[in-house]
Amino acid sequence: MPLTPAVDPSIADLDPARALFIDGSWKPATTTFEVRDPGSGRVIAAVADGSASDARSAVDSAAAAWTSWRSTAPRTRADVLYGAYERMRADLDRLAGLIMSENGKCEADARGEVTYAAEFFRWFAEEAVRPGGAFGESPAGGTRTIVTHRSVGVAALVTPWNFPAAMATRKIAPALAAGCTVVLKPAEETPLTAMAIARLLEEAGAPPGVVNLVPTTDAPTVVSTWLSDSRVRKISFTGSTNVGRILLRQAADRVVNSSMELGGNAPFIVTEDADLDAAVQGALVAKFRNGGQACTAANRFLVHEAVLEDFGARFGAAVETLRTGPASDQRAQIGPVISAGAAARIERVVAEAVQAGARVSHRAPLDPDLTGHFVAPQVLRDVTPDAAIASEEIFGPVAPIIRCSSDEEILTVANQSESGLAAYVYAGDLQRAMRLAEGLEAGMVGINRGLVSDPAAPFGGVKQSGLGREGAREGMLEYTETQYFSVDWPNQG
Ligand code: NAD
């Protein structure tokens, strides 16, 4: 099928009909699928639709390349990653444009994502040359123990649409740094950004087969093909908890090493001694970055009753000023949600909350002429701790506020979720903030900050938010197996 004209200049130098990147070549598939701009609904590209046989070819290529990539000097691997970092920075405008086209993010969010995504290449270029290890004498004497970290092998990477660049680089960079080769399946909604990333790794000198890309509309087939292949030794998945469970079950058959970055339900806590101006600014970032479509997005605001009215009024007033619009609207702060289905789901969640007794206290205006999938930013008050909206991931620009009357109640409500990814605490007294933070069942806690993502920090969750960490040194260890040598080494007389 011929390629739909690449109407958007930012994708003009990609060839989406040849989106399969296998063994260093860009290949077509037997069919294509359409990618749409969620801000307008218009088709922006027809992308090669990978099959099970393409998935197998990608593993053939990655397995062959692993032999030499794992023994390539760490400095050489680092140079490829650093080259990718430099290219990504230099190409920021085009990559941000690409994300705006296929994901719908507003410009500031898209630029922020590219900058964040590039940092994973830089950080892991720096980590690649510090593989670490240990040397020690055994307690009984007479032997020495040498501990090394060796690349695990071919890694299957599966990424979501909400951060199409950063979720890919957060996996590819540590995998390559550790000496793994990768097969990547991007989300069906956002394959073009993944193409651009594979292209810049190719340009930075990644040898053929080290990075392979298989966009598809048949994720279950492509990913299960990988998980049943004995050459695939690692699955790293970012996405919903439901799909994570499916993949963990499949991984169990061959006991595949698994890293899971799953859904969140972040509490945003405001105590009565918090700096409310700072809390409102932090709340806007934690809730509305990316239109609320972030796994770290504040999902429930737990506010002490002494500051409930004040915080609610100030936060609500700020929310009412948020401008929603397509990425082409340079003044837009909130973009569309990813699909009509997502918009309908969010509206349903709000309607159910209102039926259960909540009220919409503040709502930003929405231009009735908008044609994409838009949801008005809004604040809900009188939400009870056990309301459905407080237990499911909203993934949109809706902020439910729950009244709490003590730190103990705050912790009980915060921890009653099965998720435990991010949490946020705003408190005036740092000791109090730390006491709350230590009581939270969450992998990451922002303290007087509305943002926790940092390539140099270990990102990940507890409970059903996942297994393992990305970023930091921990992120590279996820792509290694520990091996030790026990060496006969008699003590000197
Ligand atoms: P999703 O689980 O629907 O899809 C994620 C990826 O899995 C996509 O590539 C998709 O094609 C693929 N997939 C879907 N079904 C599959 C199956 N049966 N077998 C194999 N692959 C399959 O999630 P989404 O809607 O794309 O993303 C939103 C979710 O991701 C939210 O729950 C969000 O919290 C989570 N997320 C988590 C993190 C994190 O770091 N913890 C980061 C971003 C997003």
Side-chain angles (χ1 to χ4, degrees), residues 291-469:
Q293 300 177 111
C295 52
T296 52
N299 208 55
R300 309 166 279 159
F301 289 79
L302 313 186
V303 182
H304 193 281
E305 58 190 7
V307 290
L308 184 72
E309 291 310 321
D310 202 358
F311 174 80
R314 292 198 217 181
F315 181 44
V319 169
E320 280 179 345
T321 69
L322 292 173
R323 181 179 171 92
T324 302
S328 55
D329 173 356
Q330 289 203 325
R331 288 189 298 142
Q333 296 156 290
I334 307 289
V337 296
I338 191 69
S339 63
R345 186 188 54 75
I346 297 163
E347 300 290 8
R348 172 187 55 78
V349 170
V350 171
E352 285 171 1
V354 168
Q355 209 164 24
R359 72 188 155 90
V360 178
S361 64
H362 298 81
R363 187 184 165 98
L366 202 57
D367 180 347
D369 294 334
L370 290 173
T371 52
H373 318 303
F374 292 94
V375 175
Q378 53 202 290
V379 177
L380 293 184
R381 294 283 301 273
D382 304 335
V383 176
T384 53
D386 49 2
I389 195 167
S391 57
E392 74 179 271
E393 201 177 14
I394 302 169
F395 237 58
V398 178
I401 300 184
I402 298 170
R403 168 195 293 265
C404 289
S405 55
S406 66
D407 287 6
E408 290 66 36
E409 186 186 5
I410 282 173
L411 282 179
T412 305
V413 174
N415 290 338
Q416 73 191 11
S417 170
E418 278 306 323
S419 303
L421 192 61
Y424 306 89
V425 178
Y426 272 79
D429 172 7
L430 193 58
Q431 277 193 10
R432 178 185 194 173
M434 288 307 303
R435 213 169 38 243
L436 281 165
E438 287 184 351
L440 287 167
E441 295 169 357
M444 302 171 281
V445 185
I447 296 172
N448 293 328
R449 276 178 61 78
L451 188 67
V452 289
S453 305
D454 178 347
F459 188 107
V462 302
K463 299 203 279 190
Q464 294 190 25
S465 285
L467 301 169
R469 293 295 180 267

Side-chain angles (χ1 to χ4, degrees), residues 170-195:
R170 200 165 78 173
K171 297 186 190 305
I172 297 171
L176 267 52
C180 293
T181 55
V182 304
V183 291
L184 169 66
K185 192 213 80 62
E188 175 182 340
E189 295 85 349
T190 55
L192 302 173
T193 307
M195 281 185 77

Side-chain angles (χ1 to χ4, degrees), residues 158-163 167 170-171 185-189 216-224 227 237-244 246-247 250 260-264 293-296 338 393 395 421 444 459-461 465-466 470:
V158 182
T159 51
W161 48 265
N162 66 336
F163 287 91
M167 297 303 96
R170 200 165 78 173
K171 297 186 190 305
K185 192 213 80 62
E188 175 182 340
E189 295 85 349
T216 183
T217 50
D218 190 358
T221 298
V222 164
V223 180
S224 64
L227 283 173
F237 170 75
T238 298
S240 60
T241 300
N242 272 342
V243 175
I246 294 170
L247 298 187
Q250 290 178 19
M260 296 279 145
E261 295 288 348
L262 309 177
Q293 300 177 111
C295 52
T296 52
I338 191 69
E393 201 177 14
F395 237 58
L421 192 61
M444 302 171 281
F459 188 107
S465 285
E470 292 192 316

Side-chain angles (χ1 to χ4, degrees), residues 59 152-156 183 225-235 254 256-257:
V59 177
V152 62
V154 175
V183 291
T225 299
W226 288 344
L227 283 173
S228 58
D229 189 319
S230 62
R231 297 166 299 174
V232 173
R233 306 276 171 78
K234 171 85 196 175
I235 170 86
R254 289 185 37 255
V256 177
N257 182 322

